[in-house]
Amino acid sequence: MNQIYIAIDVETTGLEAGVDEIIEIAAVKFNADEVLETFSTLVQPIHSLPLNSSRLTGITADMLTGAPRFAGVAPRFAAFLKNYPLVGHNIEFDLRMLRAQGMRLPQPAFDTFELATLLMPRTPAYRLSALAATLGIPHDEAHRALSDADVTRQVFLHLLRRIAALPLDDLNEIMRLTGQIEWGLRSLFEEAQRAKARRVFVDAAPIQADRHDEGDEKIAPLKPTGDERPIDLADIRRFFSPDGALGRAFAGYEQRDQQVRMSEAVADTFNQGGALIAEAGTGTGKGLAYLVPAALHAARRGERVVISTNTINLQDQLFFKDIPALQKVMANGADKPPFTAALLKGRSNYLCLKRYKDLRRDPRLMSDDVRALLKVQLWLPTTESGDRAELPLQEGENASWNRMSAAWEQCTGPRCSEFQRCFFFRARKQAEAAHLVIVNHALLMADLAVENDVIPPYDYLIIDEAHNLEDVATDQLSFNVDREGLLAFLDDIFTEGQAQVVSGLLSELPNHFRESMATRTDVDRADAIADTLRPAVARARDAVYGCFNVLMTFIKREAELTAYDSRLRITDALRRRPSWAEVERAWDALSVALHVVGEGLGRLETLLIDLKDAELLEYDALMLRVQALRRYATDVCVNIGHILTGGAEEKVTWLTHDRMRDTLTLSAAPLSVADVLRTNLFEAKTATILTSATLSVGGSFAFIRERIGLDQAEELTLDSPFDYTRQALLYIPQDIPEPNQNGYQRALEQTIIDLARATGGRMLVLFTATNALRQTYRAIQEPLEDAGIAVLGQGIDGSRRSLLERFKEFPGTVLLGTSSFWEGVDVVGDALSVLVIAKLPFSVPTDPIFAARSEQFDDPFNQYAVPQSILRFKQGFGRLIRSKEDRGVVAVLDRRLLTKKYGQMFLESLPHTTVRSGPWQRLPDLARRFLAVGNGANQ
């Protein structure tokens, strides 16, 4: 490499160009492995240095005193850069910050983040420090500009070596795919292609291995062993005893009585059949409690057990951590594990090789399509699973993935040319052979809804995180469509683009008839159907625009939507408004047009059925495609009809207006999922176990059981082994205004400030609405930073994952979060010592599903809103104490716990905890003294 490059990095006070400022700039000029020259300087900002930036970079206000302003630095920096190509990690951010200061750099710029996502698939993280660790590059001063610039240089050189090692065929394909788009990295691959082409007759061509795995053919489906003996509960007790298998495997193992009781109950349910609903408090160890009897049952009887979770975190913990550990313990030194397990995901998670190859040949590729295809191309030789979780796809590339995933109604299964290499069917084959199959709720419910048979047949089911089951079932059984979805459906039938380029089913139809045994009459029939369908599709396209324009006019004129809620429930009362008549007229026009399209597709389907022996090209795929389009035309007519004209009493219907994109989505959801779950799940299985840390309300499972249709079940409540009376203090201020009263927001902000100052941060604040979070963030940031406490906000300072990492790394922090932080946050130790619940987590009254379901109750608030909120409240409360050593304070800044009758129900649903109430001014000192006891200080 003779080219000179310059790696650059800027450190800033925040992420927003034009608002936040540059505080350090550095650059490293290099040629191959030789560093030619460096540039580095601090830059004095106009505004004060935020604490978050100081903590992250190590740059202090004192260090910036006397440093030059950016205007004084810019000429020297520009002279250093000249016109050399630039290299940076997420370089667009650096360039954007520089442009905001008036510095425009026209030379080529190469992004090591984008390069790494292409060339290093399956890397756990792509942050600069994470890449450096993966590659063994020292990075001692992360977030200092010169150190970051030099590490970027070294990462770039490593990635150039990876490009040079690519086979010529890969490089040729990259050049072909990127030829029609603007792509800043193309020249790097072009140089490697030229170098490789010059040596094409010198270098030995690599032998391309066939991805067909011989081992797949040896995978045999699980078969019943004929051993009907029940699980001996004494074996369960022995396994968990201090001198049992677990005690021998792990030094310092302590038996938990709650875990043993739950494991016995699960085993008994497997033995007897029926259902068990078990609430297992935090620290019970419920995962192992159900895995042990599940493994014993499945291995002895040869009967598959499906385990479903809601979150990826729990799914990964079970499959990659808990199950391998249990296999090792139960193997007792043997080479072969006593049971097998498989992780199975929905079809959309797996790559379809046929669709991938077809997409590569598509002449209408957009830049996101090309980027996604490049990532798949360079990932394909390394993947065993074909799982998209291994691919670092960016936002725009996700739509491209959908065009090559296995979620395809036209899948021909064993008749597909790629079947032997198919990732989805390989995963399903592994699941068919496994004793334990790990899935998520979304797949469990989707399989139930459409009888998809993705999950192999099973009679034994464990549902963890079962408190989410109703919501996931509702989501999976819902219908959603927007204008773009309808237009994409019509485009798939026929579309005519620029320069009279046509595409879609009708344009491809003649290809299927060529060299077939179809008669001239058959071809004429197909042509006549196509000639009728083309104008019908055009009329339907016009009707789609017309209908959605009328809907948009209606929602802007009639609906009182707020920034807080952009959904409008469609009720019979709304449909009786005079202005709705125009919507119904527009729908009538669209309905007729879609009906005509559906009829045409039906005639084409009939013709193809008659031609099943005519040897049409790719007949199976063609037939499936036509059937899928015809079904969609029918389904969309029925569902939109229900939404706009009514007639489906069991449905909740609404419109959502996305202000950012200015689009409308039509939605319908089941009023209740209880009947579906009762009939298709609980009554269809021999044994079902439902478990979570939050299933009961006031000691009763009645609410959750009624919501999900669980009529018959044994019940088990297991208290947490943690000593909440000693480890936790719950405080409720008596004198703070209620959330709907004047002065509440100011009191909330001041309480958080005073409490954080007293405890040194270490605080998670849970909100129920984003606007309240943002308002609080603005109010508390400056006073807390003056006290040396940083504030991080969800949706403001980075992704959920990065926020949690920074929260754990810097203890003197206050983290503000909304919905996704109420569960699944696991911060053990002192990093989280204070939990603030801003207000009780009641649902938004105008939420269409909540509003419709509320109407089914005589006393909607107490029978539905309160129990639902209590379950969420318990989830939030559970974020604080995660181990026997944890100690912390929970402050609920909602005195309705004290002033309303339902408040006692909230408190009674929590573990036995020390509860105090009093003036809000007393809380900071009380919290400080409570936490000091845990740290060994004198009270």
Side-chain angles (χ1 to χ4, degrees):
M1 179 181 80
N2 296 318
Q3 175 68 58
I4 293 176
Y5 296 94
I6 297 182
I8 66 169
D9 184 75
V10 303
E11 299 301 326
T12 66
T13 59
L15 303 176
E16 193 173 346
V19 174
D20 295 305
E21 300 179 78
I22 294 171
I23 55 174
E24 188 175 32
I25 299 176
V28 178
K29 186 183 296 183
F30 63 100
N31 182 351
D33 287 323
E34 183 183 2
V35 174
L36 303 176
E37 195 178 355
T38 65
F39 178 99
S40 178
T41 181
L42 292 168
V43 180
Q44 187 177 158
I46 296 172
H47 301 98
S48 60
L49 178 67
L51 182 59
N52 271 328
S53 302
S54 181
R55 280 189 177 172
L56 195 64
T57 61
I59 298 170
T60 66
D62 288 344
M63 293 167 64
L64 295 174
T65 302
R69 300 284 191 189
F70 184 83
V73 172
R76 290 189 293 121
F77 189 50
F80 182 87
L81 298 179
K82 294 188 172 64
N83 287 315
Y84 293 118
L86 304 177
V87 178
H89 199 70
N90 278 319
I91 195 168
E92 181 52 38
F93 171 77
D94 302 281
L95 297 177
R96 192 165 61 244
M97 297 302 293
L98 290 167
R99 280 197 299 271
Q101 297 290 334
M103 191 170 189
R104 300 186 179 276
L105 302 172
Q107 60 259 60
F110 303 115
D111 186 358
T112 50
F113 175 86
E114 186 180 357
L115 264 179
T117 61
L118 271 174
L119 297 163
M120 297 174 63
R122 304 172 71 184
T123 300
Y126 292 88
R127 301 184 314 277
L128 183 60
S129 57
L131 283 176
T134 299
L135 298 174
I137 299 170
H139 193 193
D140 297 330
E141 289 190 283
H143 301 294
R144 289 304 303 268
L146 186 58
S147 173
D148 285 1
D150 192 57
V151 169
T152 299
R153 170 188 70 85
Q154 296 177 68
V155 169
F156 180 67
L157 291 172
H158 174 88
L159 294 171
L160 287 183
R161 289 192 288 271
R162 289 199 175 219
I163 293 174
L166 290 174
L168 183 58
D169 286 347
D170 274 344
L171 292 167
N172 289 339
E173 178 66 2
I174 290 168
M175 288 299 99
R176 185 188 71 81
L177 284 172
T178 58
Q180 302 302 314
I181 67 165
E182 290 288 329
W183 189 47
L185 301 178
R186 192 171 194 270
S187 61
L188 299 178
F189 291 86
E190 191 172 28
E191 175 59 34
Q193 181 201 36
R194 285 197 295 267
K196 188 80 70 171
R198 287 194 293 268
R199 298 182 56 82
V200 68
F201 297 111
V202 178
D203 296 338
I207 299 172
Q208 296 293 321
D210 191 337
R211 287 207 56 80
H212 174 48
D213 190 343
E214 296 290 337
D216 288 348
E217 297 178 354
K218 300 175 185 177
I219 298 176
L222 192 65
K223 292 181 179 178
T225 62
D227 188 341
E228 297 290 326
R229 287 176 300 154
I231 302 170
D232 189 341
L233 300 190
D235 289 343
I236 296 288
R237 288 189 289 272
R238 274 193 295 273
F239 184 87
F240 285 99
S241 70
D243 57 352
L246 281 179
R248 292 193 300 270
F250 299 103
Y253 166 75
E254 292 182 14
Q255 179 178 315
R256 285 173 275 187
D257 293 339
Q258 296 91 336
Q259 188 177 49
V260 179
R261 285 177 57 205
M262 178 172 172
S263 197
E264 288 178 318
V266 173
D268 192 51
T269 305
F270 279 139
N271 291 342
Q272 305 296 330
L276 168 70
I277 184 165
E279 182 174 77
T282 306
T284 299
K286 59 181 168 59
L288 208 54
Y290 59 67
L291 283 174
V292 170
L296 290 173
H297 174 92
R300 175 176 292 175
R301 296 196 177 195
E303 293 177 328
R304 186 177 299 109
V305 177
V306 169
I307 301 171
S308 182
T309 75
N310 186 56
T311 60
I312 293 173
N313 284 348
L314 181 55
Q315 192 178 55
D316 287 348
Q317 179 182 316
L318 289 174
F319 188 72
F320 296 108
K321 182 180 176 184
D322 295 350
I323 286 175
L326 184 59
Q327 286 173 323
K328 188 174 180 180
V329 170
M330 295 179 83
N332 199 22
D335 292 334
K336 187 178 179 182
F339 68 94
T340 57
L343 180 63
L344 186 62
K345 300 184 178 182
R347 277 178 167 268
S348 62
N349 291 280
Y350 298 99
L351 178 73
C352 170
L353 290 166
K354 183 182 188 306
R355 296 186 79 196
Y356 162 65
K357 291 179 179 179
D358 289 346
L359 187 61
R360 278 167 51 172
R361 293 191 290 267
D362 193 322
R364 302 163 299 163
L365 294 175
M366 306 298 285
S367 59
D368 283 333
D369 296 326
V370 171
R371 286 183 169 87
L373 284 168
L374 294 180
K375 287 181 178 179
V376 171
Q377 175 187 336
L378 298 178
W379 161 69
L380 204 46
T382 71
T383 183
E384 293 295 326
S385 66
D387 183 352
R388 64 160 294 165
E390 299 176 355
L391 269 178
L393 296 175
Q394 303 304 302
E395 186 175 353
E397 297 158 3
N398 290 317
S400 305
W401 171 267
N402 293 336
R403 298 175 64 189
M404 50 181 150
S405 80
W408 196 37
E409 288 186 306
Q410 298 159 45
C411 175
T412 56
R415 299 189 299 277
C416 177
S417 58
E418 300 290 342
F419 179 73
Q420 293 300 326
R421 295 161 16 115
C422 179
F423 292 114
F424 168 70
F425 281 102
R426 180 186 302 174
R428 195 181 188 282
K429 200 170 186 179
Q430 290 168 345
E432 287 175 347
H435 294 101
L436 305 183
V437 180
I438 313 300
V439 302
N440 64 21
H441 294 353
L443 174 57
L444 185 73
M445 293 297 103
D447 222 46
L448 209 65
V450 296
E451 298 179 357
N452 217 354
D453 291 335
V454 172
I455 305 173
Y458 62 98
D459 291 314
Y460 296 85
L461 172 64
I462 297 170
I463 303 174
D464 202 342
E465 300 178 311
H467 62 279
N468 296 114
L469 191 61
E470 183 187 15
D471 287 344
V472 178
T474 299
D475 187 55
Q476 291 299 319
L477 296 170
S478 293
F479 168 83
N480 300 284
V481 70
D482 60 9
R483 188 187 70 180
E484 299 310 312
L486 286 171
L487 293 177
F489 155 69
L490 295 171
D491 287 349
D492 199 18
I493 301 171
F494 180 76
T495 185
E496 188 169 4
Q498 295 178 347
Q500 295 185 324
V501 175
V502 295
S503 62
L505 169 70
L506 300 184
S507 66
E508 298 162 18
L509 201 55
N511 297 333
H512 293 277
F513 280 82
R514 287 200 186 101
E515 300 181 19
S516 71
M517 295 173 62
T519 65
R520 182 70 251 173
T521 302
D522 296 328
V523 174
D524 289 344
R525 283 176 64 194
D527 287 344
I529 292 169
D531 289 343
T532 304
L533 265 174
R534 285 189 197 93
V537 168
R539 288 193 296 274
R541 191 177 284 111
D542 290 340
V544 168
Y545 282 110
C547 187
F548 275 83
N549 287 343
V550 170
L551 281 168
M552 185 67 81
T553 300
F554 177 87
I555 202 166
K556 287 181 176 178
R557 185 180 60 214
E558 300 282 336
E560 297 178 1
L561 302 185
T562 65
Y564 190 66
D565 195 350
S566 59
R567 295 163 296 180
L568 174 66
R569 185 179 167 204
I570 303 175
T571 61
D572 286 340
L574 184 77
R575 297 184 188 104
R576 286 194 292 268
R577 290 188 191 179
S579 53
W580 190 257
E582 190 178 354
V583 171
E584 292 194 345
R585 284 193 294 272
W587 164 240
D588 286 342
L590 176 55
S591 176
V592 169
L594 289 173
H595 185 71
V596 171
V597 170
E599 281 187 336
L601 292 168
R603 289 196 300 275
L604 183 56
E605 180 183 358
T606 301
L607 172 61
L608 292 176
I609 291 172
D610 294 341
L611 295 175
K612 67 178 184 298
D613 297 321
E615 298 183 10
L616 268 64
L617 180 66
E618 295 185 340
Y619 172 82
D620 291 332
L622 174 64
M623 188 68 181
L624 286 168
R625 184 178 183 185
V626 171
Q627 289 173 333
L629 290 168
R630 192 258 308 151
R631 275 197 306 273
Y632 184 87
T634 302
D635 291 347
V636 86
C637 267
V638 170
N639 282 293
I640 296 180
H642 285 158
I643 293 169
L644 297 182
T645 64
E649 298 300 322
E650 74 286 356
K651 296 284 187 183
V652 186
T653 55
W654 71 96
L655 282 170
T656 304
H657 181 207
D658 184 333
R659 288 178 178 77
M660 295 292 291
R661 297 188 302 148
D662 199 27
T663 59
L664 278 181
T665 301
L666 296 166
S667 300
L671 185 60
S672 170
V673 297
D675 289 342
V676 173
L677 294 178
R678 180 187 300 110
T679 304
N680 296 356
L681 196 67
F682 304 133
E683 292 179 355
K685 304 304 170 191
T686 302
T688 306
I689 286 86
L690 300 96
T691 186
S692 167
T694 52
L695 290 172
S696 69
V697 176
S700 169
F701 292 98
F703 177 74
I704 194 80
R705 287 180 58 175
E706 185 271 332
R707 298 308 309 157
I708 61 176
L710 185 64
D711 298 336
Q712 303 293 325
E714 294 294 317
E715 297 179 352
L716 179 65
T717 303
L718 298 161
D719 291 335
S720 170
F722 301 153
D723 184 358
Y724 278 90
T725 55
R726 180 186 60 83
Q727 293 180 254
L729 169 67
L730 189 149
Y731 191 87
I732 311 160
Q734 293 175 330
D735 53 354
I736 193 170
E738 291 186 8
N740 60 345
Q741 294 177 339
N742 290 334
Y744 168 76
Q745 180 64 29
R746 177 169 290 187
L748 168 75
E749 294 160 2
Q750 193 60 52
T751 303
I752 292 172
I753 291 168
D754 293 346
L755 182 57
R757 283 172 174 163
T759 61
R762 300 184 289 164
M763 179 190 295
L764 171 64
V765 187
L766 296 176
F767 291 86
T768 58
T770 302
N771 59 344
L773 182 152
R774 289 180 175 273
Q775 187 175 347
T776 304
Y777 181 94
R778 289 192 295 269
I780 70 173
Q781 185 182 26
E782 188 173 333
L784 285 183
E785 288 199 351
D786 289 344
I789 298 166
V791 180
L792 297 173
Q794 183 182 1
I796 300 171
D797 293 304
S799 67
R800 183 178 187 273
R801 177 178 173 179
S802 68
L803 290 176
L804 286 171
E805 286 176 350
R806 288 164 69 183
F807 184 64
K808 293 174 186 177
E809 184 179 356
F810 302 109
T813 301
V814 172
L815 172 58
L816 312 183
T818 55
S819 53
S820 65
F821 279 82
W822 281 78
E823 58 181 288
V825 173
D826 194 357
V827 181
V828 179
D830 290 341
L832 174 54
S833 297
V834 183
L835 174 71
V836 175
I837 295 177
K839 60 186 287 191
L840 300 179
F842 286 106
S843 292
V844 179
T846 54
D847 175 274
I849 295 175
F850 175 79
R853 288 176 175 172
S854 294
E855 293 167 2
Q856 308 302 302
F857 294 87
D858 296 330
D859 181 1
F861 184 74
N862 287 305
Q863 291 177 313
Y864 184 48
V866 168
Q868 189 185 69
S869 181
I870 286 173
L871 291 176
R872 290 191 194 127
F873 182 71
K874 291 172 67 174
Q875 276 291 325
F877 180 87
R879 297 314 95 213
L880 185 65
I881 305 299
R882 308 301 296 176
S883 75
K884 283 188 174 182
E885 288 72 41
D886 282 355
R887 187 173 174 87
V889 174
V890 180
V892 183
L893 305 185
D894 190 337
R895 68 187 180 100
R896 288 179 295 178
L897 280 181
L898 303 172
T899 61
K900 304 297 183 184
K901 290 181 180 179
Y902 57 77
Q904 194 59 33
M905 287 185 64
F906 278 81
L907 297 176
E908 289 174 352
S909 295
L910 297 177
H912 298 295
T913 305
T914 302
V915 179
R916 296 283 183 269
S917 61
W920 68 265
Q921 291 94 337
R922 185 183 166 209
L923 171 59
D925 185 59
L926 187 65
R928 180 186 56 76
R929 289 188 289 116
F930 183 83
L931 296 176
V933 172
N935 292 328
N938 293 322
Q939 187 166 351

